[in-house]
Amino acid sequence: PAGGQPAEVDQPEVPEVKTPEEPKKPENGSVVGNIDGNTQYGYGWTKGDDGKWTYSIVTWDKDSGEKDSNGETVYDRYVQLRDDVSYEGSSTSHIIIGSTSTGGKIILDLFGHTITDKVTDSKEDDFGVISVGDDKKGTGSLVLDDTSADKSGTITGGKTGVSVWGNSSFTMNGGTLSGNNGDGIGGGVVNRGEFTMNGGTISDNNVTSKGGGVYVTGTGNFTMNGGEIKGITAIKFGGGVDVAGKGNFTMNGGTISGNKTSLTEGDYAESGNPTGQGGGVYVDKDGTFTMNATKDEEGKIMKDENGNLIIPVISGNEAGEGGGVFIANGAVFTMNNGKIDQNTARVGEGGGIYIRGQGTINAGKITNNKPFTTLDLGGGGIYNQVGGKLHLFNAIITDNNAA
């Protein structure tokens, strides 16, 4: 009213000003894409400086083309890295690979990235960076590959790269196992089950005892069709590969090169055994080692993309004795093809091959090997120890030098 106070009226409500919400972190298992009709899921989400969320692992299932005993489809699980992955903690902090719910394989594509193990617990060497199956009789099936352009995918930092338990299988088609340095055995792979190497590289792993590249034990079976095992040191036995127990190693292709064991004399003067034996391959009692060639259905040796014959090659390895291959008492060696070349024994005998057990050579080339011993007999290409048995049928043995 005139001359009085203004009448009270309802004031409009002032809306509350809110800060825009931060983009919500996606849940593990979020759908991120599709490949060949198969849904892809993302895991390991991290936020970048640009505020966007990205995933480090993508997975999808794919029909394996196989059926189970009930006629149901078996699916494989693809796991592809999109970023480097590392883990640390106690000895339980390792990656265990089983099988899919339908019994299929886990196919791990490193895709140019690295898996790094930062665990320091001494028990971890039983499991490795990746454990296929476990010590509780669990089984697993792993296929390792690297489909990146530069093939730089690596598994590193453990005492063993991949540990394969009994009744489990590991197929290596690509990738690198490197920088795994153990206190005892198997820097690259410890195999108690089935290990097939078709490609990839096992390199620069070092152990204080046996099997710098691959240690085969129990009733484990190792088949090498391709790839490289190189630049590795095992102080005692098998710079490249050590076959122990009742293990078996079949080499159809690939290269074992530039590996070594200790080159010191040790107690050689007293026992006749230097510290290190078998720079390329060491086969212990009850173990077997066979060298073949990769053949087609007509029985002809196959060639690679450069026109070279696909044969196994053991070259440029060094040891106290048995520079290329050492066959211990009770072990069996069969050479059906392949090449053992430019290996060196620095203390004792056998630049190329040292045999205490049983050897049969049906074909192959043994060339340019040499022992440097000043303490014993020599044996540039082959040294057959007293008690050892060698059946030599057909081979080219040339340009080897005895001390």
Side-chain angles (χ1 to χ4, degrees), residues 113-131:
H113 296 292
T114 299
I115 299 176
T116 303
D117 177 2
K118 297 182 179 180
V119 177
T120 58
D121 192 307
S122 62
K123 294 180 181 179
E124 178 262 342
D125 58 358
D126 285 340
F127 294 92
V129 181
I130 294 178
S131 178

Side-chain angles (χ1 to χ4, degrees), residues 67-147:
K67 303 288 185 181
D68 64 16
S69 58
N70 297 319
E72 298 294 330
T73 300
V74 174
Y75 289 91
D76 294 331
R77 171 67 55 84
Y78 279 72
V79 179
Q80 188 179 75
L81 298 190
R82 297 296 177 88
D83 199 356
D84 294 340
V85 175
S86 66
Y87 65 89
E88 58 188 332
S90 68
S91 62
T92 60
S93 301
H94 48 265
I95 300 171
I96 298 179
I97 299 293
S99 301
T100 68
S101 59
T102 60
K105 301 179 289 293
I106 305 297
I107 302 174
L108 174 60
D109 181 3
L110 296 174
F111 205 55
H113 296 292
T114 299
I115 299 176
T116 303
D117 177 2
K118 297 182 179 180
V119 177
T120 58
D121 192 307
S122 62
K123 294 180 181 179
E124 178 262 342
D125 58 358
D126 285 340
F127 294 92
V129 181
I130 294 178
S131 178
V132 187
D134 59 29
D135 58 345
K136 303 296 190 296
K137 298 184 179 180
T139 62
S141 181
L142 172 65
V143 177
L144 180 67
D145 209 343
D146 180 10
T147 63

Side-chain angles (χ1 to χ4, degrees), residues 2 5 22-23 26 40 58 71 78 99 123 132 165 168 201-202 220 240 248 271 306-307 319 360 364 375 400-401:
Q5 297 295 324
E22 179 182 346
Q40 295 176 300
V58 61
Y78 279 72
S99 301
K123 294 180 181 179
V132 187
W165 293 84
S168 295
T201 302
I202 300 174
N248 174 67
S271 68
N306 298 316
T360 301
L375 304 174
N400 302 283
N401 294 291

Side-chain angles (χ1 to χ4, degrees), residues 194-216:
E194 295 286 331
F195 173 32
T196 301
M197 186 174 184
N198 298 319
T201 302
I202 300 174
S203 64
D204 301 309
N205 305 285
N206 299 295
V207 298
T208 57
S209 186
K210 309 175 184 180
V214 178
Y215 182 73
V216 185

Side-chain angles (χ1 to χ4, degrees), residues 135-320:
D135 58 345
K136 303 296 190 296
K137 298 184 179 180
T139 62
S141 181
L142 172 65
V143 177
L144 180 67
D145 209 343
D146 180 10
T147 63
S148 66
D150 61 3
K151 307 299 181 185
S152 59
T154 304
I155 294 174
T156 189
K159 297 179 180 179
T160 295
V162 177
S163 182
V164 187
W165 293 84
N167 299 317
S168 295
S169 67
F170 172 41
T171 300
M172 186 172 181
N173 294 329
T176 298
L177 307 179
S178 181
N180 301 288
N181 301 310
D183 293 336
I185 59 175
V189 177
V190 173
N191 178 45
R192 306 167 181 85
E194 295 286 331
F195 173 32
T196 301
M197 186 174 184
N198 298 319
T201 302
I202 300 174
S203 64
D204 301 309
N205 305 285
N206 299 295
V207 298
T208 57
S209 186
K210 309 175 184 180
V214 178
Y215 182 73
V216 185
T217 187
T219 57
N221 184 56
F222 173 30
T223 302
M224 186 175 185
N225 299 317
E228 297 179 285
I229 299 174
K230 64 180 184 179
I232 303 170
T233 299
I235 299 300
K236 294 183 178 180
F237 309 130
V241 178
D242 184 292
V243 184
K246 295 183 178 180
N248 174 67
F249 176 26
T250 301
M251 190 178 182
N252 301 317
T255 302
I256 298 174
S257 65
N259 306 288
K260 65 182 181 180
T261 63
S262 171
L263 306 179
T264 62
E265 292 184 14
D267 62 351
Y268 190 79
E270 298 179 4
S271 68
N273 296 312
T275 302
Q277 298 171 322
V281 178
Y282 180 92
V283 188
D284 209 344
K285 180 181 180 181
D286 297 326
T288 61
F289 175 36
T290 303
M291 295 179 70
N292 298 314
T294 302
K295 297 182 178 182
D296 60 21
E297 294 179 355
E298 297 178 355
K300 297 180 181 178
I301 299 176
M302 297 177 65
K303 296 181 179 181
D304 61 20
E305 61 274 11
N306 298 316
N308 300 314
L309 295 175
I310 302 177
I311 61 172
V313 177
I314 299 174
S315 67
N317 303 284
E318 295 182 283

